[in-house]
Each structure stands twice: as C-alpha cells, then as structure tokens.
Amino acid sequence: MDASRNPEYLRKTAEAVAEFKEAFKAFMELHTETKDAGFGRGLLPAAVAREGVSLEEMQTVTDRVARAAGRASAAPGLTRMYIGIASFPEPLDPITAWKTVITPKPLLEPCDVLDAAEQILGRLEAMTDKAEAELPPTTGVEAMHPTIWGAARKLWVDGHFRLAVQSAAESLTSQLKTRTGLANMDATNIYEKVFASKNPMLAWPGDPSDRTVSSMQNGLAKYAPGVNMTVRNTATHVACRDNRPAGSGTARRLEPPCALDRRVRRPHLTCTQQQHRPPDLQEARGPVTAQERGQRLSGRSGGSSPASPSPYAQLHERGELERVSLMG
C-alpha cells in the first residue's frame, strides 16, 4: 500500500514532524540569531550559541534535534515540501538541513526551518483527511444480522474465532432448515436445493425472465453452497479435529491390521474351511481339538512319527499355518 494513502502512517509522520519542531525550538533557545546584527548576514552563521551554555547541555539538545530530524526525514518527500536556494543547485530539504543555521554561509535561517515544519504539518493533515475519505468502507459487528452476530458474539469476544465462525454458520443453516422444513437434509444439499437455478425454494425477487434476476439466482445457486463448504465445513472439520482426544488418530490408524484380522478374517476363513471340507473327513475324523492341532503343526503326535497326510490334509495344514501367521 502507498504510504501517502495510509492515514495511520501519515499521522505518525506528522507526530514526528511536531516533535522535530519542538526540539528545534528548544535548540534555538540556547542560541542567538544574527539577523539583527546589521552586518555579515549570509556570511555569519544564522545563529550562535549563547554565553554561559555548557557543552553538555548544548550536546543534549543537539542530539534531540538530530534524532527528531531522523524520525521526520520522510515528511518532506511525502509532502513535496522543499526550499529553493539561489546559490544551491537543488531544492533543499528543510528538516535534513536544519543544522546549517549554525554554519558559516548558512543555507537556511531558523525561521525557514520553523515555517517549513508548519507547512509540512498542514500538508500531512490534509493528506490524512483525504486518505481516510478514500478508504474502502468497513463493516462493523453492529451491521451484521442478529442471526450471525448473536450466535458468534460470545465466542468471538472470548477469542475463539474459529468456533465463532462455526457457530454463526450453524445458526444460519439451522434457521434455513426451520424455514424450509428440510430438517433432515445435509447442509450443503439444503443450500443447493433452496437456491437452485430452477424451481428454487427461495428465489431472488423479480421477474425470473429478467436477465438481472436470472443472474442473481444462478449466482446464488453456486455462491450459497460454496460459502457453506468453504466457511462452515472447514471451520467444523478443524474444530472436530482440534477437539479429538490426544492419540485417537493414531489408535484408529493402528487398529485395522490387528483388529480387522480378528473380527473379519478369522470368521471368514473358518466358515470357508468348514464349507469346503469333505463330509467324509468331517464325519470320520470329527472335530479337531486344540491339542491335535498343536501336535499336527509341530509335526509330532504322541511321540511317534505321524502317518503321511493326505493331499487335502497337507493343504489344510498349510491353510492353518497361513491363518495362524495372519492372526499372530
């Protein structure tokens, strides 16, 4: 942003110029002007130190003016306030050149510095007024609809800005559901249905065949759902994420590899094996006990070498081994 159009910056610059002016006046109180001496004007310094002024006091006042001149150095450029000197090739900055009043052949006299400071202050005031008049309009909370600010006020004042936005959006959606009777519909779908381009439940006033009315209705059909998704949904999703207990996200990500195997794979595998096991084997062998399964997996049966298993038994054992490895 252009500094010359920033009211706050212009006010601070004016404060710096006023501080410079007061510091320069204090500096001149320790000096005597030579303009009334009747001779040497233009050759002698425009001001000389008064008798009895200590070096420490003079240095303190001089430093104050120098610092103030530095803070106000941007003012002449902003206001285009310069002084033309016949013997000097370029216009002179009255704030930067303030110290020439105490040098031989001074470029400026004390009155030149003070008059220029006053003009700069006047120009800065005018520029500030103009910059404020050209600022874009702002909307305060008092201009908000009661539905919005009423739902957001307490949270906003307490510093919970995202929750305030969420609360305001939820309040608006709730009122829309009440007025349309679509209480069980998703928020985004409500906005799409209520402000639809064709057969809207809430229509822009005017003749639908009018191009302006039609444009407004088509715009609302896109704008209303879009605002709901970009404002209400994002505020709600972040709020839910922030309010989730610590570690809950990790627990959900770690659960499937173990829990899903227990709850889904084991019943599925067991059911599949029972359905495809030959009936004669089921009847002849009967149910397999845990002890027999352990002996079969370990390759031992009562201390004696097991008989060669049938092809189906081999497949069955490999299936058992696979299932065990999956289940842990």
Side-chain angles (χ1 to χ4, degrees), residues 221-243:
K222 299 177 177 63
Y223 179 76
V227 169
N228 178 73
M229 287 186 285
T230 57
V231 177
R232 180 263 179 193
N233 286 4
T234 54
T236 302
H237 297 165
V238 173
C240 292
R241 183 187 64 195
D242 294 343
N243 293 332

Side-chain angles (χ1 to χ4, degrees), residues 90-111:
E90 297 179 358
L92 197 63
D93 181 338
I95 292 181
T96 302
W98 69 272
K99 205 171 184 179
T100 63
V101 300
I102 60 174
T103 62
K105 296 184 179 181
L107 297 175
L108 298 175
E109 294 188 353
C111 61

Side-chain angles (χ1 to χ4, degrees), residues 107-254:
L107 297 175
L108 298 175
E109 294 188 353
C111 61
D112 296 327
V113 177
L114 293 174
D115 289 347
E118 278 298 322
Q119 286 196 49
I120 290 174
L121 287 173
R123 293 187 183 186
L124 286 173
E125 290 177 1
M127 293 173 68
T128 301
D129 294 340
K130 181 180 179 181
E132 288 180 339
E134 293 177 346
L135 283 177
T138 57
T139 301
V141 295
E142 67 279 355
M144 293 184 180
H145 194 280
T147 300
I148 301 300
W149 183 239
R153 181 182 180 281
K154 188 177 187 305
L155 290 167
W156 187 274
V157 172
D158 291 342
H160 305 295
F161 304 122
R162 186 177 294 278
L163 290 177
V165 173
Q166 178 192 1
S167 179
E170 293 289 359
S171 178
L172 179 61
T173 302
S174 177
Q175 187 176 63
L176 189 62
K177 288 182 177 181
T178 301
R179 291 194 174 189
T180 59
L182 303 175
N184 297 324
M185 186 175 288
D186 177 77
T188 301
N189 293 336
I190 288 179
Y191 284 100
E192 291 175 345
K193 181 177 180 61
V194 169
F195 297 103
S197 299
K198 296 181 179 180
N199 301 321
M201 297 181 69
L202 294 179
W204 188 262
D207 183 2
S209 61
D210 182 78
R211 294 182 62 183
T212 300
V213 175
S214 176
S215 294
M216 289 300 299
Q217 192 64 51
N218 290 333
L220 284 173
K222 299 177 177 63
Y223 179 76
V227 169
N228 178 73
M229 287 186 285
T230 57
V231 177
R232 180 263 179 193
N233 286 4
T234 54
T236 302
H237 297 165
V238 173
C240 292
R241 183 187 64 195
D242 294 343
N243 293 332
R244 192 170 60 194
S248 59
T250 303
R252 289 192 180 96
R253 286 192 295 271
L254 293 178

Side-chain angles (χ1 to χ4, degrees), residues 9 21 37 42 47 60 85 88 108 117 143 180 186 191 202 225 241-242 265 292 300 302 307 317 328:
Y9 177 76
K21 179 183 174 183
T60 300
I85 307 296
F88 204 72
L108 298 175
T180 59
D186 177 77
Y191 284 100
L202 294 179
R241 183 187 64 195
D242 294 343
R265 293 186 180 180
E292 290 174 340
R300 297 188 301 272
E317 289 179 6

Side-chain angles (χ1 to χ4, degrees), residues 292-307 317 321:
E292 290 174 340
R293 181 182 293 112
Q295 292 173 348
R296 184 163 61 247
L297 293 176
S298 61
R300 297 188 301 272
S301 178
S304 60
S305 299
E317 289 179 6
L321 288 172

